Amino acid sequence: MKQDAYREAGVDIDLEAAAVKSLISELTFRRTDKYGMASEIGHFAGFIPFGRHVLAMAVDGVGTKMLVADALKDWSTVGIDCIAMNVNDLYVMNLEPVAFVDYIATSKLSHEQMRQIGKGLNEGARLANLSILGGETATLKGLVTGLDLAGACLGIQEKEKVITGSEITPGDCMVGIPSSGIHSNGLTLARHMVEEYASYNESLPSGTTLGEELLRPTRIYADILQVCTEAKVHGMCHITGGGLLNLNRLGEFGFSLDSPLPPQEIYSWIAKTGRISDSEMYRTFNMGMGYVVILPEEGVKTVQKYFPDAKVTGHITDTPGISLNGKKLF
């Protein structure tokens, strides 16, 4: 079974992590007045104090999912992905997204393409209840091939309500909330499988085509803010690029998943087609679990009140590492 399929497809997670560390090592300057940083680089979002509140920022893009949209000539939902990848990173710290700006870099402008992207951005803004304040569109022929869509999001929260994961305790439950599918991560590997072994028009057993499945928009977990007002949440995680490795952002705990959510059929197809190992799949994709809430057992029903499809997938231990069904993955 392949252990390095993602790297062979063009993305080296370990190299990316090392490169990011090199970048961060040079980011030493900090503003020192009342608006200085109130967080460390490395969590899902960073923030600054703002009176009784903190202001937070996150930035992300759609990635190579844009190439799937290009192949299908359907850009109507990628704007949802762009907003989702940002707001979901704010939700994990109980930060409320309020404003967004987009950035579009393209080799050639198309009225229809821009209209469809705007449609998706507007729907994403509605789902997340935020305002799009503006953005930037740059025609960069020679530098960009095709179109890249990214954005930055502003969030706010009262200082004492911010959740960083510092209260996570061994014995806490890990409640998994299903993803809508592949979301916007791991698309380089997914596209490679489709383009090498099938086509975007080929159907899965459910009847959904591979193209439709890869283009399914990212779920926006907006109701998690309400969960945080009604339950004592100790930590949360958005499962994005790097799969379960994202859990390590919460600290050196043991994350034991002994009852994982069932992966959608697209993952079975990718794993079988590419003969890819479980560990490689779980360090590349969300594998059916797009969001994790960590809290005491008495709070589980509150999560399920707002997310009926959520379930307890595991628990926190005091032995660092990530395990799946009793087998250590990372």
Side-chain angles (χ1 to χ4, degrees), residues 38-49:
S39 63
E40 294 298 323
I41 296 175
H43 212 302
F44 285 91
F47 49 85
I48 61 172

Side-chain angles (χ1 to χ4, degrees), residues 14-28 41:
D14 297 327
L15 175 60
E16 189 173 281
V20 170
K21 284 184 179 179
S22 295
L23 173 66
I24 292 175
S25 69
E26 296 297 323
L27 303 179
T28 57
I41 296 175

Side-chain angles (χ1 to χ4, degrees), residues 301-321:
K301 288 185 178 180
T302 302
V303 180
Q304 293 172 330
K305 172 183 173 183
Y306 292 96
F307 298 93
D309 53 355
K311 62 172 268 189
V312 176
T313 57
H315 60 281
I316 301 297
T317 73
D318 53 11
T319 303

Side-chain angles (χ1 to χ4, degrees), residues 76-121:
S76 63
T77 60
V78 290
I80 299 175
D81 290 290
C82 189
I83 287 180
M85 297 306 293
N86 279 276
V87 298
N88 288 342
D89 277 359
L90 292 178
Y91 293 144
V92 298
M93 301 176 78
N94 193 28
L95 300 162
E96 181 169 2
V98 293
F100 187 86
V101 292
D102 62 82
Y103 176 73
I104 296 172
T106 181
S107 57
K108 183 180 179 180
L109 285 169
S110 159
H111 289 287
E112 179 59 20
Q113 190 178 36
M114 294 290 278
R115 185 192 69 79
Q116 291 191 32
I117 289 172
K119 178 181 179 180
L121 286 170

Side-chain angles (χ1 to χ4, degrees), residues 145-288:
T145 300
L147 184 147
D148 187 30
L149 172 63
C153 192
L154 175 70
I156 190 169
Q157 186 55 275
E158 295 175 32
K159 289 179 181 178
E160 64 271 18
K161 294 182 180 179
V162 173
I163 296 172
T164 64
S166 61
E167 296 186 25
I168 293 175
T169 305
D172 281 348
C173 292
M174 297 175 63
V175 182
I177 306 176
S179 63
S180 55
I182 206 162
H183 285 184
S184 296
N185 301 104
L187 269 295
T188 296
L189 177 55
R191 287 188 305 101
H192 175 71
M193 291 295 105
V194 173
E195 294 168 4
E196 183 77 13
Y197 299 105
S199 74
Y200 289 114
N201 293 323
E202 185 170 317
S203 295
L204 293 163
S206 66
T208 304
T209 68
L210 289 166
E212 290 170 340
E213 189 59 48
L214 295 193
L215 206 55
R216 191 184 302 278
T218 303
R219 185 174 184 177
I220 291 177
Y221 299 94
D223 285 344
I224 201 65
L225 295 175
Q226 191 60 38
V227 171
C228 292
T229 68
E230 298 181 22
K232 181 60 177 176
V233 175
H234 288 173
M236 294 179 282
C237 185
H238 179 204
I239 307 299
T240 60
L244 293 184
L245 290 172
N246 282 281
L247 292 166
N248 289 328
R249 297 192 190 195
L250 299 178
E252 295 185 1
F253 302 100
F255 302 94
S256 177
L257 282 87
D258 43 39
S259 185
L261 293 174
Q264 291 92 345
E265 60 180 347
I266 183 62
Y267 296 120
S268 300
W269 183 88
I270 292 171
K272 182 178 179 181
T273 300
R275 298 185 68 252
I276 302 172
S277 68
D278 283 348
S279 60
E280 180 75 351
M281 291 294 290
Y282 275 94
R283 77 193 297 263
T284 304
F285 302 108
N286 65 59
M287 295 301 284

Side-chain angles (χ1 to χ4, degrees), residues 49-70:
F50 194 71
R52 292 177 47 247
H53 296 78
V54 295
L55 295 179
M57 293 193 71
V59 62
D60 211 335
V62 180
T64 64
K65 191 169 189 172
M66 289 301 302
L67 296 178
V68 181
D70 291 343

